[in-house]
Amino acid sequence: MARQPKVDFGSIVQSKNANGSPIPETESESTPEPLVSKKRSYPSREGKVPVQFFLNKDAHRQLKIVSAETDKSHQDILIEALNAWFLMNDKPPIA
């Protein structure tokens, strides 16, 4: 099997693509606009950090039931539970 001659891709890409059609000019060749972060800002979350933990399915189901029965959010219930735990450990309830 004979070795293929080396191809200079630069000469192919200069003004035409591999199919022989002209390469369309794009806006990307101009100065790109800086990316703007679309980070959401929630005033109620200012100064707070997220804390995540995992529950088994039964505990999660029970949390949802108690949440619906008491008309409290999961966050409200967990803050209440964390404050109770702080008190049990002789700490101020600051959550």
Side-chain angles (χ1 to χ4, degrees):
M1 184 184 274
R3 184 176 247 186
Q4 296 283 333
K6 290 187 178 183
V7 177
D8 178 22
F9 289 109
S11 63
I12 294 173
V13 178
Q14 278 179 352
S15 63
K16 295 184 177 185
N17 64 15
N19 296 333
S21 324
I23 298 174
E25 290 188 27
T26 61
E27 292 181 23
S28 64
E29 293 174 4
S30 64
T31 307
E33 293 183 27
L35 295 175
V36 178
S37 175
K38 295 188 179 187
K39 186 177 178 181
R40 291 184 179 173
S41 178
Y42 298 98
S44 63
R45 295 180 182 177
E46 199 167 310
K48 297 178 181 177
V49 295
V51 177
Q52 179 180 357
F53 65 98
F54 294 90
L55 293 172
N56 63 42
K57 288 181 181 183
D58 292 335
H60 182 247
R61 185 170 192 263
Q62 187 166 306
L63 175 62
K64 291 191 300 184
I65 291 169
V66 172
S67 177
E69 290 174 348
T70 61
D71 199 28
K72 291 183 179 180
S73 68
H74 293 180
Q75 181 169 338
D76 291 339
I77 293 171
L78 295 174
I79 286 174
E80 197 174 303
L82 185 58
N83 279 329
W85 186 79
F86 283 151
L87 288 171
M88 285 176 24
N89 287 280
D90 301 320
K91 302 292 181 195
I94 59 173

